[in-house]
Amino acid sequence: MKVLVIGLGGVTNGGKTTLAEKLKKMLPNCDTISQDDFFKPESEVETDERGFKLYDVLDALYMDEMVTSIRNWMKNPPRSGVVTEPQKTYDNLENTEVYILIVEGFLLYNYEPLNELWSRRYFLTLPYEECKRRRSTRVYQPADTPGYFDGHVWPMYLKYKKEVEENTSNVVYLDGTKSHEELLTFVYSDIMQELKMVME
């Protein structure tokens, strides 16, 4: 049995969830885990002196639980075998049990216990104006307060991105302004190459 754990990290509203869902339909025995499912309840998230809830930091998440969920999946991946969209498969994949987990989230590569699990790491980026525009069209619970994007969300993104650039190797940076199809084609091909190497 072969297991691949793929990270889809990066900027808020960069297209991580959409990409993960599309890949899930195209890859064999593929599951997804979203980091958003590990947020602490609002009452446990710190508030700064400006009244901003500090959601865009590691402390706002149950990171240990996330690592445990991924490790449990790796030990016993569910067998789906379902590929709902046709694609070329490699002959040597046909008879081998391959399981793929796509983990998507905004803070994937800044937590050391997670960094030993990745087979591939992708990081979606957006320029400031486009990210702010997309963020303004989304409804969050709790809702973004005035100034929240500039006061907390964007500065934390830049901080953690810099950490990744300085401390993490083998990260593939993706331009989130590209079309969904372009991003999907690239990442899918890259994962299939990784699968081929795993099989050889």
Side-chain angles (χ1 to χ4, degrees), residues 31-165:
D31 274 310
T32 58
I33 286 180
S34 173
Q35 190 172 39
D36 285 356
D37 294 336
F38 297 91
F39 271 115
K40 293 176 181 175
E42 190 179 352
S43 59
E44 289 182 39
V45 176
E46 281 188 51
T47 305
D48 73 4
E49 66 282 355
R50 298 163 299 180
F52 291 152
K53 280 281 180 186
L54 304 181
Y55 274 104
D56 289 55
V57 298
L58 286 169
D59 282 347
L61 297 146
Y62 292 121
M63 293 301 294
D64 290 346
E65 283 183 24
M66 186 175 173
V67 173
T68 301
S69 294
I70 295 170
R71 287 193 181 280
N72 287 342
W73 184 95
M74 291 170 77
K75 281 184 220 145
N76 190 21
R79 184 186 307 264
S80 72
V82 179
V83 176
T84 54
E85 295 180 10
Q87 89 287 3
K88 63 179 192 295
T89 51
Y90 294 100
D91 295 337
N92 58 347
L93 292 182
E94 297 298 316
N95 304 314
T96 309
E97 282 191 274
V98 178
Y99 297 89
I100 301 169
L101 180 64
I102 296 173
V103 182
E104 61 95 1
F106 68 111
L107 280 182
L108 296 187
Y109 314 129
N110 306 81
Y111 188 67
E112 202 46 53
L114 270 183
N115 275 336
E116 58 203 48
L117 304 179
W118 307 117
S119 308
R120 297 292 283 154
R121 289 179 246 237
Y122 302 96
F123 191 106
L124 281 143
T125 64
L126 282 176
Y128 166 82
E129 291 295 347
E130 176 61 13
C131 184
K132 189 171 186 176
R133 184 192 69 75
R134 290 187 192 182
R135 177 96 180 189
S136 70
T137 66
R138 292 269 291 274
V139 178
Y140 289 91
Q141 285 300 332
D144 282 358
T145 52
Y148 190 68
F149 180 84
D150 287 314
H152 177 62
V153 176
W154 188 254
M156 286 300 102
Y157 162 67
L158 294 179
K159 173 182 183 277
Y160 284 116
K161 179 171 177 271
K162 185 166 185 275
E163 274 183 24
V164 171
E165 289 166 345

